[in-house]
Amino acid sequence: MKIKHSLSLFIVLLSVSSFGQNGRFFQNKKDQIKALKVAYITNELALTPEESAKFWPLYNAFEDKQREIKKLKLKGYLKHMDQDSFDKLSDKEATILVEQMESYDDELYLAKKKFVGNLKGILSPVKILKLRRAEDNFNRKLLQQYRDKKLDN
């Protein structure tokens, strides 16, 4: 679970960074990662052309929704990221932040539930389970490559 959160934060920060000076570089990297992920998932699920045609639009829409929710959640955190900011929060402000976090988590859960429900008409239950495993494995490999590259520098 920590890997997913770390990777999610990494991807969000990568997305935010793409608006900076090196936007094209980060956008290219993001596009490369996306292409690798599509190939990896397609291979792991052994998607037929018919399944791919129905699956990828749903998957991309779900990823966009996830990214949007996580971006909103991250905005709330960024304002209070350092320890001093947390220590200066009033109980009322902290309560509002906690409620926002819960709301975003609920929204993310409902989006995932809807996505899986939509997949049931397209993929077999086994392929839905394989999707989860493929995403986890891809994220793990991506994070490992990032760590290995960071150690080399």
Side-chain angles (χ1 to χ4, degrees), residues 127-143:
K127 284 189 177 183
I128 293 172
L129 292 173
K130 284 183 177 182
L131 171 62
R132 179 62 184 256
R133 184 180 66 193
E135 287 177 314
D136 289 345
N137 288 342
F138 180 83
N139 291 339
R140 197 173 298 114
K141 288 178 182 187
L142 182 64
L143 190 57

Side-chain angles (χ1 to χ4, degrees), residues 14-15 26-35 67:
L14 185 66
S15 300
F26 286 112
Q27 187 59 44
N28 288 340
K29 288 294 182 189
K30 190 174 161 183
D31 291 344
Q32 288 174 346
I33 291 169
K34 175 87 172 153
R67 199 173 303 111

Side-chain angles (χ1 to χ4, degrees), residues 52-77:
S52 283
K54 294 176 183 175
F55 170 77
W56 286 110
L58 279 176
Y59 188 84
N60 292 333
F62 171 65
E63 278 205 323
D64 290 345
K65 182 69 175 173
Q66 263 191 128
R67 199 173 303 111
E68 176 188 320
I69 294 167
K70 289 177 181 179
K71 185 177 178 181
L72 290 172
K73 189 175 181 180
L74 186 61
K75 273 186 180 180
Y77 289 139

Side-chain angles (χ1 to χ4, degrees), residues 61-112:
F62 171 65
E63 278 205 323
D64 290 345
K65 182 69 175 173
Q66 263 191 128
R67 199 173 303 111
E68 176 188 320
I69 294 167
K70 289 177 181 179
K71 185 177 178 181
L72 290 172
K73 189 175 181 180
L74 186 61
K75 273 186 180 180
Y77 289 139
L78 288 178
K79 289 186 217 170
H80 309 287
M81 202 59 127
D82 61 36
Q83 187 62 38
D84 291 335
S85 295
F86 277 120
D87 290 339
K88 293 177 185 174
L89 282 176
S90 69
D91 282 347
K92 185 177 181 177
E93 291 170 321
T95 299
I96 291 169
L97 251 163
V98 168
E99 288 170 355
Q100 286 175 346
M101 287 178 3
E102 290 173 332
S103 174
Y104 294 137
D105 289 343
D106 289 344
E107 193 175 345
L108 192 56
Y109 169 76
L110 291 174
K112 285 179 185 180

Side-chain angles (χ1 to χ4, degrees), residues 141-152:
K141 288 178 182 187
L142 182 64
L143 190 57
Q144 187 60 47
Q145 285 181 355
Y146 174 74
R147 286 180 183 156
D148 292 346
K149 188 174 183 176
K150 197 163 184 147
L151 290 175
D152 291 341

